Amino acid sequence: MTGDLARMSEMPGPDAFLRAVPLTGGIAGFAAPPAPIGVVYAIAGSSSRVLLDRASIGALCDDPDSVVAAAGQVGSQVKMRVGTTWLVANVRSLKLEDNAGTCIAAEIDFLGEGDEEPLTGNLDRFRRGVTRYPMPGCEVFPITTADLQQVYAAEDRANITIGTVYPTTDIPAALYVDPMLGKHFALVGSTGTGKSTAAALILHRICELAPQGHVVMIDPHGEYAAAFASNGALYDVSNLQMPYWLMNFEEHCEVFLTSSGSARQFDADILAKCLLAAKAKSRLGQEIAKLTVDAPVPYLLSDLTTIINAEMGKMDRAGDTAPYLRLKTKIDEIKADPRYGFMFSGMLVADTMASFLARIFRLPGDGKPISIIDVSGVPSDITAVVVAVLARMTFDFAIWSRNEPQRPILLVCEEAHRYIPAGQEATSAVGRILGRIAKEGRKYGVSLGLITQRPSDLAEGVLSQCGTIIAMRLNNERDQALVRAAMPEGARGFLDSIPALRNRECIICGEGVTIPIRVAFDTLEEAKQPASTDPLFSELWRDIGGEDQIIGRTIQRWRAQGK
């Protein structure tokens, strides 16, 4: 045993291993590739280790090929030859390995493999996954721009180009639309990183690819109307005209019930009974043999209050009249409040369900495939209900149209953490329906796009259902950890660079890309950008005059609750 330990202590270290393996430039019968920069030291299934020669890397810094010049850096790629196959790996981390400073140890993650062209030695026909791993001692080469063009070449599938692959300026970054939408996607990034512009860019590209598509976007801040003025249908409280009777019973409860605890259940029972009776009084309700309280059937709010009054006055009624008065008061209050007119107006009692679905879902699209639903003017206490109705209508339409020619719908939810907060996805109507779309939507042709600046505040189960994650810079450690947990193992090396991303840069991984990539977004034309620019305090504070008129006009709009 002592002899074995003595022999092990005499084994060469990593720097000696690097010196012992000759860094040659090719194999007989093949064109010589760029000079090698290191060798494979240790191989494991997920993360492996290579030793890089610091002098060889330094010699590449002035290479005219910017990709070769970046060889060996964290986030760059290297390649290894196994037989007639090139393996491509991403550099995750670097560490100085010897005291002399000549040897650098790098942790790498394998991305995929491609064939070697016999004449040029270049990489060809890249594909995800590795068939054969290299043996220790295998030479490591810098990857070239020509190689990256093969790696990131868009396959013959429907795709959109959203920018260029970092660090190049001419290799287009493509997103595969069908797998990205088929398994949902999430766009995350701290405020000020260009998230809204990136969302507008992606949606513009999708609309250009599918001018007869069906996209619904929930816009809580009124940012996107300016971006889609030419190719989108724009709706806000002035023209949304969403009938109140489209709500199901759960959504009715969130609007009409004011009590809590055990009293809330008692009030809900009363509302269910009276609501069913009000729907049964309508002409459409009388034609349905088995009418339920959830059926989207037009009814009059006046009929509902009349029935509540009648129930309250019955002689055989047990208990006090407080629950009935609470319901009646709340309904009368909503009917009288002009802020709720877009939904609870007396003009919305006709059966307009078909025209509402056609308008919102763009059926047909008439060259405007996206609906922007601006909910910034909706009273805050029913914003979540409005979003819940729109999301549920999307899902229910997909379910009940299963036997029809399929019309898939993309539902994009900005500020998603407001509607599906962490730990509370099952406590509200909007949280439940968005959670259900995330889990089951793809079976019925409903795609979900989530945009958020605080992924840690988003329900983790919903984020994990997103097959494609587009991560811009995240400043918060909790946010970074959550995104890292939701991404596949092979992308971990890319994730370490999330805090260092510049504005309008992102890491994309998942179903929408062949392998994880770092992308610099294209510049979006000014007319297509959302209205989300930051105020320039240094300039705006120099602008003086007319303050009295500003205050007067603001107070007038404020009191009228109009924008």
Side-chain angles (χ1 to χ4, degrees):
M1 184 70 177
T2 307
D4 290 341
L5 289 173
R7 282 193 298 273
M8 289 176 67
S9 66
E10 294 170 3
M11 291 179 68
D15 54 334
F17 178 73
L18 182 61
R19 290 193 300 272
V21 179
L23 300 183
T24 59
I27 293 176
F30 294 97
I37 56 173
V39 293
V40 175
Y41 183 63
I43 287 292
S46 55
S47 178
S48 300
R49 200 175 186 210
V50 300
L51 299 177
L52 303 176
D53 181 44
R54 190 176 167 195
S56 299
I57 293 173
L60 298 175
C61 289
D62 296 325
D63 195 283
D65 187 334
S66 61
V67 177
V68 175
Q73 297 180 13
V74 171
S76 66
Q77 287 82 39
V78 293
K79 62 181 180 178
M80 290 139 272
R81 186 196 283 110
V82 177
T84 58
T85 301
W86 281 116
L87 305 185
V88 178
N90 184 62
V91 177
R92 180 194 292 197
S93 64
L94 297 172
K95 176 186 174 185
L96 199 62
E97 191 65 31
D98 63 339
N99 294 331
T102 60
C103 177
I104 299 172
E107 298 287 332
I108 62 169
D109 300 307
F110 286 103
L111 300 175
E113 64 184 20
D115 300 332
E116 182 182 33
E117 288 185 340
L119 296 177
T120 63
N122 289 337
L123 184 145
D124 188 31
R125 291 193 293 275
F126 179 83
R127 52 208 173 263
R128 183 188 285 188
V130 174
T131 309
R132 292 171 58 193
Y133 284 94
M135 295 295 289
C138 177
E139 291 177 335
V140 176
F141 296 88
I143 207 158
T144 66
T145 297
D147 294 330
L148 282 189
Q149 285 171 342
Q150 285 293 323
V151 170
Y152 295 115
E155 298 173 17
D156 191 18
R157 292 188 284 168
N159 64 82
I160 55 173
T161 301
I162 58 169
T164 55
V165 177
Y166 178 88
T168 72
T169 56
D170 56 351
I171 299 179
L175 276 173
Y176 298 116
V177 173
D178 293 326
M180 181 180 85
L181 300 186
K183 296 184 179 177
H184 314 309
F185 70 92
L187 172 59
V188 301
S190 296
T191 185
T193 57
K195 190 171 71 282
S196 299
T197 306
L201 172 67
I202 292 170
L203 292 175
H204 272 299
R205 296 286 191 268
I206 291 174
C207 291
E208 288 164 11
L209 179 74
Q212 297 300 324
H214 314 285
V215 184
V216 179
M217 182 173 201
I218 311 294
D219 178 10
H221 301 305
E223 294 177 337
Y224 292 90
F228 294 92
S230 61
N231 63 340
L234 312 178
Y235 300 102
D236 57 17
V237 291
S238 67
N239 65 347
L240 182 59
Q241 295 180 316
M242 184 171 76
Y244 57 87
W245 46 264
L246 288 177
M247 296 188 294
N248 64 12
F249 177 63
E250 181 183 17
E251 291 147 4
H252 271 91
C253 288
E254 290 203 7
V255 176
F256 290 153
L257 301 190
T258 56
S259 54
S260 59
S262 58
R264 187 177 180 86
Q265 184 57 52
F266 189 62
D267 290 8
D269 293 340
I270 294 171
L271 178 60
K273 182 179 180 181
C274 297
L275 187 59
L276 186 61
K279 289 184 176 184
K281 278 189 71 174
S282 69
R283 180 185 57 80
L284 202 60
Q286 292 170 4
E287 295 172 1
I288 299 174
K290 294 182 179 179
L291 184 65
T292 69
V293 74
D294 281 329
V297 172
Y299 70 92
L300 293 171
L301 283 173
S302 57
D303 282 346
L304 179 59
T305 52
T306 301
I307 291 167
I308 291 172
N309 270 331
E311 287 291 319
M312 184 169 59
K314 282 185 177 178
M315 297 299 293
D316 59 346
R317 177 185 49 76
D320 62 6
T321 59
Y324 298 91
L325 288 173
R326 279 197 298 266
L327 271 174
K328 186 174 178 297
T329 303
K330 184 63 177 178
I331 294 169
D332 289 342
E333 176 189 317
I334 287 175
K335 282 170 63 178
D337 193 330
R339 295 178 303 153
Y340 296 87
F342 74 96
M343 190 172 179
F344 292 93
S345 166
M347 306 296 290
L348 298 174
V349 294
D351 183 11
T352 55
M353 188 171 178
S355 63
F356 180 78
L357 292 178
R359 281 192 308 132
I360 299 301
F361 297 152
R362 313 309 301 147
L363 296 163
D366 295 327
K368 295 187 174 184
I370 184 168
S371 292
I372 305 295
I373 315 291
D374 177 2
V375 295
S376 60
V378 173
S380 58
D381 55 335
I382 66 164
T383 303
V385 173
V386 171
V387 176
V389 172
L390 292 167
R392 185 184 51 76
M393 295 292 285
T394 305
F395 191 63
D396 285 355
F397 178 79
I399 287 178
W400 295 109
S401 64
R402 276 175 296 182
N403 298 326
E404 304 292 334
Q406 201 168 23
R407 298 288 186 270
I409 298 170
L410 167 60
L411 177 66
V412 183
C413 194
E414 171 72 274
E415 297 283 8
H417 58 273
R418 287 173 50 173
Y419 308 116
I420 334 171
Q424 299 180 35
E425 58 263 37
T427 60
S428 66
V430 65
R432 274 191 284 272
I433 186 59
L434 288 175
R436 191 177 177 197
I437 290 175
K439 295 181 181 74
E440 307 171 30
R442 65 185 184 87
K443 301 175 186 175
Y444 304 106
V446 178
S447 176
L448 187 63
L450 302 177
I451 305 170
T452 179
Q453 59 185 336
R454 290 303 308 271
S456 59
D457 289 346
L458 188 67
E460 190 174 354
V462 174
L463 186 64
S464 65
Q465 294 290 331
C466 294
T468 304
I469 295 182
I470 304 165
M472 304 184 77
R473 188 175 69 250
L474 290 164
N475 300 326
N476 185 281
E477 283 190 15
R478 282 180 59 221
D479 293 333
Q480 294 169 18
L482 199 82
V483 171
R484 188 175 285 108
M487 285 193 172
E489 181 70 28
R492 299 294 164 87
F494 286 87
L495 292 178
D496 293 334
S497 62
I498 281 182
L501 290 173
R502 295 174 294 187
N503 284 358
R504 295 179 50 243
E505 280 189 357
C506 70
I507 305 292
I508 307 177
C509 73
E511 302 293 333
V513 287
T514 307
I515 59 172
I517 54 174
R518 180 173 172 178
V519 174
F521 282 112
D522 284 339
T523 302
L524 193 59
E525 306 94 284
E526 192 171 342
K528 295 183 176 181
Q529 291 183 8
S532 59
T533 52
D534 296 328
L536 300 174
F537 287 81
S538 58
E539 291 183 15
L540 294 175
W541 278 349
R542 293 195 200 108
D543 188 12
I544 58 173
E547 281 80 3
D548 292 345
Q549 290 84 354
I550 292 173
I551 291 173
R553 290 191 298 268
T554 301
I555 290 174
Q556 187 176 359
R557 285 193 299 270
W558 196 340
R559 286 174 172 161
Q561 293 291 294
K563 295 202 298 181

